[in-house]
Amino acid sequence: MKILHTADLHLGRQFYGQSLFDEQQHALDQIIDAALSHVPDVIIIAGDVFDRPAPPASAVRQWSDFVTRLHSETNAAIVIIAGNHDSGDRVAANSAFADPNRVLIRGPLTRENPPLIIADDHGPVAISALPFANEFAARACFDDRTIATPADVLAAQVAAARAEVPDGVRWIVVAHAFVTGADPSESERRLIAGGVEEVSASTFAGAHYVALGHLHKPQTAGSDHIRYSGAPIAFGFDESGAEKSLLIVDMDADGGTEITKIPFVPLRGVQSLSDSFANILAAARTAPSEDFMRFELTDTHPVIDPMGQLRPYYPNAMALTYLRDAAPETQIDTPTAQAHTDPADLITDFISALQDTPIDAREKAVITDTLATLNHEATT
């Protein structure tokens, strides 16, 4: 079984206020090219199709054209899930064209999650698609008020999916999550505010391959068969020089996997330069670039209109700072979020750390009453 795995397209995203439409179209075209040249049995897009729940019309058209091409120009099965940036209903709207024997699109969370089953020369493979959902939606879906974290949500989804997988078949899970030990980027949005967002790789026990979305760097997550494909393009300057890729996964008769990375060639790269203005300007005159650029000047005195002087050579110069203005690193000695399961304890410790004194009985009562009200509203 040959699998093409990609994720985190974030269509409609901007970079420092500039549209990334052309960069994203360039990446989508490369996904199509890879599908045509490698001829996978299944194409997986593991969430964050769009950058926000209500994407611009241009991004919606771009996505529609892309999935139409995937469906018409290849014979591969297609599996798509919603990520934390997506509207599940928006992603599911594409299911109108779905052939149940070939296409599996999961937008909103559902209690039933039958797998897409496709076969190769070695027999059937079951693919379970688990869209991102918050804990409130999962409580209602699974009628379980103990669900409190992304780990709880995913555990409920995996358990429900596993129950529908036939015995003895190879199993692929598609999910959108932050697996413990993985390496995030600055451009990712947290899955949960103020709490524990990580899930254990052991959640996926029994799966032969886990196709993940959410983190933008290509990487494994606890095991070689649990992988993030990463995003096709860079969304932050911390990704300067990072190689972007999609994954081709070859699965053998026993469910073992061999991974091949297919690099994306960016339309424009991302660069961060730290040096004196004179040195940066001299380099610009020698080797101008269309890449997105960020500069950190080591000069001790201000330079007159530095961006204006650099833009003839770097038309996509996005940001400039001075090293002398960088704030010193500080560290607050507070208990980690991982130490808490009770939201009241987490809030109490956070406020105590900020004001450098324990909270009093009145403040604690306010926290308790507010959480009780929110919990009542969420469950009624």
Side-chain angles (χ1 to χ4, degrees):
M1 179 72 63
K2 183 172 288 188
I3 305 147
L4 187 157
H5 169 198
T6 189
D8 295 282
L9 307 178
H10 287 278
L11 302 181
R13 193 179 184 113
Q14 296 187 337
F15 193 87
Y16 283 71
Q18 181 162 324
S19 170
L20 291 174
F21 183 93
D22 291 342
E23 281 74 17
Q24 289 167 322
Q25 187 59 54
H26 188 63
L28 295 178
D29 290 342
Q30 291 177 75
I31 295 172
I32 296 286
D33 290 344
L36 294 175
S37 59
H38 292 274
V39 195
D41 298 290
V42 58
I43 298 168
I44 293 173
I45 301 173
D48 283 352
V49 169
F50 298 109
D51 191 56
R52 52 187 183 272
S58 58
V60 175
R61 289 193 296 269
Q62 189 176 44
W63 169 246
S64 179
D65 291 345
F66 171 66
V67 292
T68 298
R69 288 190 64 193
L70 281 183
H71 190 258
S72 63
E73 296 181 24
T74 78
N75 293 317
I78 300 170
V79 178
I80 302 165
I81 63 169
N84 62 302
H85 281 250
D86 292 312
S87 158
D89 290 329
R90 169 72 70 182
V91 172
N94 288 282
S95 62
F97 77 92
D99 172 356
N101 296 316
R102 181 183 171 194
V103 179
L104 177 60
I105 299 176
R106 296 287 189 214
L109 182 65
T110 56
R111 192 182 187 98
E112 293 75 30
N113 193 354
L116 176 67
I117 298 179
I118 57 177
D120 62 8
D121 293 340
H122 306 297
V125 174
I127 307 172
S128 297
L130 313 181
F132 175 80
N134 63 45
E135 58 272 27
F136 302 107
R139 287 176 197 169
C141 178
F142 295 106
D143 192 22
D144 183 354
R145 296 188 180 185
T146 68
I147 293 174
T149 67
D152 296 337
V153 175
L154 196 56
Q157 288 180 284
V158 171
R162 187 182 286 115
E164 300 194 58
V165 174
D167 292 337
V169 306
R170 291 164 290 167
W171 186 29
I172 298 170
V173 172
V174 184
H176 197 85
F178 187 169
V179 176
T180 302
D183 186 17
S185 304
E186 66 181 20
S187 58
E188 294 138 6
R189 180 190 301 164
R190 287 182 62 89
L191 295 176
I192 185 172
V196 181
E197 63 175 341
E198 297 180 11
V199 304
S200 170
S202 64
T203 304
F204 305 106
H208 295 91
Y209 183 71
V210 181
L212 292 172
H214 180 52
L215 300 187
H216 295 169
K217 297 177 182 178
Q219 58 190 293
T220 59
S223 179
D224 194 58
H225 74 286
I226 303 175
R227 287 187 174 254
Y228 291 95
S229 65
I233 65 174
F235 297 119
F237 281 110
D238 66 321
E239 298 179 82
S240 176
E243 181 181 272
K244 295 296 187 174
S245 61
L246 59 80
L247 303 178
I248 299 294
V249 183
D250 286 293
M251 180 178 289
D252 64 23
D254 298 319
T257 54
E258 181 177 333
I259 312 296
T260 303
K261 292 184 178 181
I262 308 299
F264 282 103
V265 179
L267 188 64
R268 285 177 282 196
V270 172
Q271 294 189 50
S272 288
L273 301 179
S274 181
D275 206 337
S276 69
F277 177 76
N279 287 344
I280 290 175
L281 183 60
R285 288 168 172 161
T286 302
S289 174
E290 297 282 332
D291 287 353
F292 295 111
M293 307 292 297
R294 178 176 66 180
F295 311 105
E296 181 185 62
L297 302 187
T298 59
D299 301 78
T300 57
H301 295 90
V303 177
I304 297 174
D305 191 21
M307 291 291 265
Q309 295 188 63
L310 290 169
R311 280 214 168 95
Y313 311 101
Y314 296 133
N316 294 303
M318 296 286 130
L320 183 146
T321 60
Y322 286 85
L323 180 62
R324 61 191 170 93
D325 295 334
E329 291 188 5
T330 59
Q331 181 173 346
I332 300 175
D333 187 16
T334 60
T336 62
Q338 286 81 355
H340 298 287
T341 57
D342 185 345
D345 290 342
L346 179 62
I347 296 169
T348 296
D349 284 344
F350 177 71
I351 294 174
S352 297
L354 285 182
Q355 62 189 20
D356 199 27
T357 183
I359 69 170
D360 57 30
R362 181 186 60 82
E363 292 170 323
K364 190 167 185 177
V366 170
I367 293 170
T368 302
D369 291 345
T370 301
L371 287 172
T373 300
L374 291 172
N375 186 58
H376 175 75
E377 292 174 352
T379 57
T380 57

